[in-house]
């Protein structure tokens, strides 16, 4: 149940993915609920971003705000009338109470705890108000919140699929706010009420909520409701010591797409951030979403923090790019090819296959092909290649042979160009590289290019090729 407070970060996406996989494995329903009770942090457009991200990653929900379901509405702000009703039930049963402490008193209490260096929690001043005192305050219109009345003695135990059985001393629990002064519920209360009313069986969330789980359990017990199965996931970290954070420049899902990563690769990599396949799949790295729904095992989730490694993601992305057929790759590559190649005479569909096997991300495309528009400044040292046995002098000689051979060529097909250059090398009793390397260098001005001399010659066309070869001779003169 995401909050519309900004971008979809990697941890959010992983939580949604694990929830989806658990639901599908159990023939259950994947529910999308928007938890927007924190109106101060609400970000316009964030809900649409959540929808778009889930759709792009294939995590299609069975019930949600836009498609409805038997347990709507699925936006918490539209369920506001429910929460006060349930909070009052807790007050009546002695599991919650009205608190009339103002901001000044609460701030003073916080400062006292800060100076005393003790954990800050509400001191329970209003726990013991009589029914008459409460009614008088309410009748006077005094602002209030409703707090959970946590037991001060004994222990509370809860079970989590990942972390096992956890027991806490009740004396450590804070009387958390359930209903705020504006009548809106806190997340900690609304999620319990909604999970019960919507028949939620499994709740997947970050491990930062482990400390709140005992209070959730006490709320379930106060209502007499069944506790759902908890699955708390360890954090996704930037490094050994720091969680991922937009503030520190860590990428969101949208950022990763803008960085040239494929959604399928992101989903595959994110699935393995804190989960390991077992059995016959233990050594497998690459999974489609459909394959994940078959092999995912809730008990494979690790309690150890997962480190997000951009280089590892590139490895996954390169695999997915290479696995695409030419027809699927071209639409993805086209915007990046157009960014680098403005010349309309260049057939981009011929360029695309040359770069497909040389990219980790789509952003790797443009820097490889910018020479198709114009040869960059380059040093004649590029012509000197030890393996090809070329130097400046014999490269100039080779280009002088190639120019008339290509000028005489009537058929400018790939095969005709290939046969022409190979025949020239044979006629001069040279290895192919002695001809091909100088041609490729003159055409590109680069030490590394997608495709070799024949491909570049074919794509550039006869006039542009001859123009660049003559410029190469002049460059070497």
């Amino acid at each position: 149940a995401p909050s519309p407070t900004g971008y979809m970060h990697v941890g959010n996406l992983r939580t949604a993915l694990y929830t989806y996989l658990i639901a599908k494995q159990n023939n259950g329903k994947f529910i999308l609920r928007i938890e927007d009770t924190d109106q101060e942090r609400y970000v316009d457009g964030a809900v649409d971003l959540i929808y778009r991200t889930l759709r792009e990653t294939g995590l299609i929900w069975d019930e949600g705000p836009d498609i409805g379901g038997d347990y709507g509405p699925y936006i918490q702000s539209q369920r506001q009338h429910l929460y006060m009703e349930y909070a009052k039930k807790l007050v009546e049963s002695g599991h919650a109470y009205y608190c009339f402490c103002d901001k000044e008193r609460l701030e003073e209490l916080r400062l006292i705890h800060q100076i005393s260096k003790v954990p800050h929690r509400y001191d329970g001043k209003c726990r013991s108000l009589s029914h008459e005192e409460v009614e008088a305050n309410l009748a006077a219109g005094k602002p209030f919140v409703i707090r959970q009345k946590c037991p001060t003695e004994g222990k509370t135990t809860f079970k989590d699929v990942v972390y096992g059985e956890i027991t806490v001393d009740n004396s450590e629990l804070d009387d958390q706010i359930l209903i705020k002064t504006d009548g809106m519920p806190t997340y900690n209360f609304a999620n319990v009420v909604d999970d019960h009313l919507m028949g939620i069986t499994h709740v997947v969330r970050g491990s930062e909520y482990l400390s709140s789980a005992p209070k959730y359990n006490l709320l379930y017990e106060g209502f007499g409701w069944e506790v759902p199965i908890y699955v708390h996931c360890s954090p996704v970290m930037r490094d050994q010591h720091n969680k991922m954070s937009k503030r520190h420049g860590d990428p969101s899902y949208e950022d990763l797409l803008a960085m040239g990563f494929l959604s399928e690769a992101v989903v595959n990599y994110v699935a393995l951030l804190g989960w390991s396949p077992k059995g016959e799949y233990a050594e497998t790295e690459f999974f489609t979403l459909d394959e994940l729904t078959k092999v995912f095992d809730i008990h494979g989730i690790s309690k150890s923090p997962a480190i997000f490694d951009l280089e590892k993601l590139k490895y996954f992305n390169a695999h997915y790019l290479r696995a695409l057929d030419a027809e699927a790759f071209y639409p993805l590559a086209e915007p990046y090819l157009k960014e680098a190649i403005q010349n309309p005479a260049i057939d981009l569909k011929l360029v695309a296959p040359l770069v497909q096997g040389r990219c980790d991300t789509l952003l790797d495309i443009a820097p490889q092909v910018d020479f198709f528009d114009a040869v960059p400044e380059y040093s004649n040292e590029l012509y000197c290649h030890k393996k090809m046995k070329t130097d400046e002098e014999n490269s100039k000689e080779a280009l002088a042979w190639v120019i008339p051979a290509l000028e005489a060529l009537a058929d400018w097909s790939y095969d005709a160009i290939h046969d022409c250059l190979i025949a020239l090398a044979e006629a001069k009793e040279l290895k192919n590289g002695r001809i091909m390397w100088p041609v490729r260098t003159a055409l590109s001005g680069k030490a590394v290019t997608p495709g070799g001399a024949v491909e570049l010659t074919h794509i550039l066309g006869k006039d542009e090729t001859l123009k660049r070869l003559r410029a190469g001779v002049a460059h070497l003169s």
Side-chain angles (χ1 to χ4, degrees):
S3 299
T5 55
Y7 70 101
M8 177 76 88
H9 61 68
V10 171
N12 290 148
L13 178 58
R14 187 188 62 172
T15 301
L17 174 61
Y18 287 0
T19 312
Y20 174 88
L21 295 175
I22 291 168
K24 296 307 170 187
Q25 274 213 328
N26 292 280
N27 297 314
K29 290 185 176 180
F30 175 48
I31 314 300
L32 172 62
R33 184 173 72 227
I34 302 298
E35 299 195 333
D36 62 343
T37 56
D38 191 347
Q39 292 290 304
E40 290 182 3
R41 296 179 61 220
Y42 182 88
V43 174
D44 286 336
V47 173
D48 291 334
L49 184 63
I50 292 167
Y51 288 158
R52 187 165 70 246
T53 299
L54 293 179
R55 288 194 181 103
E56 287 177 358
T57 52
L59 306 182
I60 307 304
W61 51 100
D62 301 298
E63 298 176 21
D66 56 335
I67 58 174
D70 296 334
Y71 299 94
Y74 292 87
I75 297 177
Q76 282 189 334
S77 60
Q78 296 174 12
R79 302 169 63 84
Q80 186 176 351
H81 61 286
L82 294 169
Y83 307 119
M84 182 64 80
E85 170 191 341
Y86 280 95
K88 287 180 177 178
K89 287 183 179 180
L90 288 177
V91 172
E92 291 168 6
S93 65
H95 294 92
Y97 59 93
Y98 289 94
C99 174
F100 300 94
C101 294
D102 55 30
K103 287 183 178 180
E104 288 73 22
R105 182 181 184 277
L106 295 175
E107 178 61 20
E108 182 181 349
L109 183 64
R110 187 189 66 79
L111 288 173
I112 290 171
H113 289 159
Q114 185 177 352
I115 293 168
S116 305
K117 296 182 179 179
V118 297
H120 175 58
R121 62 171 65 95
Y122 180 63
D123 61 358
K125 180 177 184 295
C126 292
R127 281 175 70 111
S128 56
L129 290 178
S130 67
H131 177 73
E132 290 74 21
E133 288 175 302
V134 170
E135 289 300 316
N137 285 335
L138 293 176
K142 195 169 182 179
F144 67 87
V145 299
I146 295 181
R147 290 184 182 271
Q148 181 177 5
K149 184 181 281 188
C150 293
T152 56
E153 298 177 347
K155 299 178 184 294
T156 296
T157 299
F158 70 95
K159 292 180 180 178
D160 180 79
V161 169
V162 178
Y163 290 85
E165 190 170 275
I166 298 176
T167 299
V168 298
D169 291 323
N170 290 334
S171 59
E172 297 176 2
L173 302 179
D174 185 24
D175 285 359
Q176 65 180 350
I177 294 174
L178 306 180
I179 300 292
K180 296 179 283 190
T181 53
D182 61 2
M184 289 290 282
T186 59
Y187 163 81
N188 288 321
F189 183 55
N191 84 82
V192 169
V193 173
D194 287 340
D195 286 348
H196 171 74
L197 294 180
M198 291 182 177
I200 302 300
T201 57
H202 292 66
V203 177
V204 187
R205 54 178 164 241
S207 59
E208 64 268 26
Y209 291 104
L210 272 172
S211 61
S212 298
K215 290 181 279 190
Y216 299 156
N217 269 32
L218 290 168
L219 289 173
Y220 282 109
E221 290 173 13
F223 284 119
W225 295 341
E226 185 178 350
V227 179
I229 295 171
Y230 294 135
V231 185
H232 286 88
C233 301
S234 60
V236 178
M237 310 287 284
R238 182 191 331 127
D239 52 42
Q240 294 285 355
H241 307 290
N242 298 288
K243 288 177 67 174
M244 289 187 73
S245 165
K246 184 73 169 178
R247 269 201 324 268
H248 295 104
D250 295 315
S252 66
Y253 169 77
E254 295 275 312
D255 292 333
L256 291 173
L257 295 189
M259 291 162 66
F261 290 97
L262 302 183
S263 188
E264 296 85 351
V266 173
V267 169
N268 189 159
Y269 178 60
V270 166
L272 299 173
L273 285 176
W275 170 77
S276 299
K278 307 291 184 185
E280 62 181 298
Y281 300 102
E283 302 301 318
T284 305
E285 289 184 298
F286 302 106
F287 297 97
T288 64
L289 185 59
D290 285 343
E291 289 167 344
L292 282 170
T293 61
K294 295 181 179 72
V295 307
F296 186 82
D297 178 3
I298 195 171
H299 299 290
I301 300 174
S302 171
K303 66 176 69 172
S304 300
I307 295 178
F308 181 84
D309 184 346
L310 202 59
E311 292 305 311
K312 185 71 171 177
L313 177 56
K314 286 181 181 180
Y315 161 76
F316 276 83
N317 204 64
H319 168 86
Y320 277 86
L321 285 172
R322 286 157 178 68
L324 293 170
D325 60 40
E327 287 188 3
F329 177 72
Y330 181 72
L332 297 173
E334 186 181 21
Y336 301 90
L337 292 169
K338 285 183 174 179
E339 175 190 335
I341 303 173
Q342 309 294 319
N343 185 351
I346 301 297
D347 187 345
L348 300 182
K349 288 188 176 178
L350 294 178
V351 179
L354 303 185
V355 298
Q356 184 172 359
R358 304 170 63 91
C359 296
D360 289 339
T361 76
L362 294 169
L363 289 187
D364 293 336
I365 293 175
Q368 295 186 61
V369 299
D370 53 1
F371 66 88
F372 278 106
D373 262 5
V375 179
E377 292 290 330
Y378 69 95
S379 165
N380 284 342
E381 290 180 7
L382 278 183
Y383 287 101
C384 304
H385 196 295
K386 189 175 182 180
K387 185 178 178 182
M388 303 296 180
K389 294 183 170 54
T390 59
D391 55 33
E392 293 183 41
E393 185 177 343
N394 64 27
S395 291
K396 181 179 178 182
E397 181 182 52
L399 294 180
W401 293 332
V402 169
I403 290 170
L406 291 179
E407 281 179 328
L409 206 59
D411 177 11
W412 201 260
S413 66
Y414 176 91
D415 289 340
I417 295 166
H418 173 271
D419 294 346
C420 174
L421 296 179
I422 296 298
L424 179 60
E426 288 177 354
K428 300 296 183 181
E429 298 182 345
L430 298 170
K431 289 190 174 181
N432 295 339
R434 274 273 280 108
I435 298 295
M436 300 296 188
W437 184 259
V439 170
R440 188 167 77 162
T441 303
L443 295 182
S444 69
K446 289 195 169 191
V448 180
T449 59
V454 178
E455 288 91 349
L456 304 189
T457 300
H458 179 224
I459 293 170
L460 284 167
K462 188 171 186 177
D463 291 345
E464 182 64 20
T465 293
L466 292 172
K467 175 184 171 184
R468 293 190 182 196
L469 293 178
R470 293 186 187 108
V473 172
H475 207 284
L476 289 163
S477 298

